[in-house]
Amino acid sequence: GLSLTGPDSANYALQPIAGLAADITPLLVPAAVLTALPKTYDATTNATLSGTPAIDPGSGPGLTLTGTAVGNFADKNAGLARPVLVSGLSLTGPESSNYQLQYADLRADIAPRVLSVDGIRAASRVYDGTTVATLTGVAGVTGLPGDSVSISGAVAGRFADKNVGTGKAVTVSGLELVGADAANYRLTALASLTADITPLQLTVGGLSVRDKVYDATTAATLNGGASISPVAGDTLVLTGTAVARFA
């Protein structure tokens, strides 16, 4: 398309331009109608896709979308808006080599897997004015096969209140998950942990019995004043009149 002009143009000839080259890259064809669904951590990268993949019918001459869409998270770990990679689809048709599939930026959440603590029991006890619960056993958790996750911390138990009762709920604190895969899990509350608090038996003190001469009755005379010693901080009043009888 080029030529030389001018008074001296006859003295010159154009040299063909050698080595001139450039790339033609494939035209991107968007694959639409795919959504990645959230899931709970399962130690795999498997992602579930929703929708039917398709391409615009006018994308290219005779282009057809074939295959089955397969989704995989970038890695197995729990987190929000984790990238999802799609594979398994391809373009076919006479001009398919001139086109390339383009997927939307798919993301979905991987929620931490809930682990329950096992191996712990709450022991029943006598009322002592506190909410402290005694725990027995060794706390443990079971992660998915191949994962490194365990329990750590100084475990402590608490009743919901200090009062006497049966089957009282006990909450556990002081535990945390450790290990390379700990971030993929979370501990659940030990809702089923229960124990009893039984009444504290109080001994009545401050009384003594007088000796007497036989009088054909069982009547006994008491000296002193009846008293009790409740748990510190509790308000407890002893009422009534003490009556004693010989056996």
Side-chain angles (χ1 to χ4, degrees):
L2 298 175
S3 61
L4 294 172
T5 61
D8 295 299
S9 59
N11 299 317
Y12 296 87
L14 279 178
Q15 177 89 13
I17 302 174
L20 200 60
D23 299 337
I24 300 179
T25 57
L27 177 63
L28 296 177
V29 177
V33 202
L34 277 178
T35 304
L37 301 181
K39 72 168 186 175
T40 298
Y41 174 78
D42 62 5
T44 75
T45 61
N46 297 339
T48 300
L49 301 177
S50 175
T52 303
I55 58 173
D56 188 330
S59 296
L63 280 183
T64 304
L65 187 64
T66 61
T68 302
V70 176
N72 281 282
F73 286 95
D75 58 54
K76 70 174 184 175
N77 298 318
L80 300 176
R82 303 311 309 275
V84 175
L85 309 176
V86 179
S87 61
L89 296 175
S90 61
L91 294 170
T92 59
E95 300 288 341
S96 59
S97 61
N98 293 321
Y99 295 86
Q100 180 178 321
L101 272 177
Q102 182 183 42
Y103 298 103
D105 181 22
L106 295 187
R107 293 176 178 269
D109 299 342
I110 301 179
R113 191 175 193 86
V114 174
L115 286 184
S116 58
V117 178
D118 52 34
I120 295 180
R121 298 291 180 270
S124 296
R125 64 165 175 79
V126 175
Y127 173 81
D128 64 3
T130 74
T131 60
V132 175
T134 300
L135 301 177
T136 61
V138 178
V141 291
T142 303
L144 293 173
D147 275 2
S148 173
V149 60
S150 58
I151 206 86
S152 178
V155 63
R158 290 278 178 186
F159 286 98
D161 58 56
K162 70 175 184 177
N163 301 318
V164 167
T166 57
K168 295 176 68 71
V170 175
T171 58
V172 175
S173 62
L175 294 176
E176 63 176 351
L177 293 172
V178 295
D181 296 294
N184 295 318
Y185 297 88
R186 67 178 178 86
L187 285 176
T188 184
L190 301 178
S192 61
L193 208 58
T194 61
D196 302 338
I197 298 179
T198 57
L200 174 63
Q201 302 296 317
L202 289 180
T203 300
V204 177
L207 293 175
S208 61
V209 184
R210 292 182 189 175
D211 296 336
K212 75 168 187 175
V213 176
Y214 175 77
D215 60 3
T217 73
T218 61
T221 301
L222 295 172
N223 288 327
S227 63
I228 52 174
S229 298
V231 170
D234 278 2
T235 300
L236 201 61
V237 178
L238 188 62
T239 61
T241 303
V243 178
R245 294 282 177 186
F246 284 100

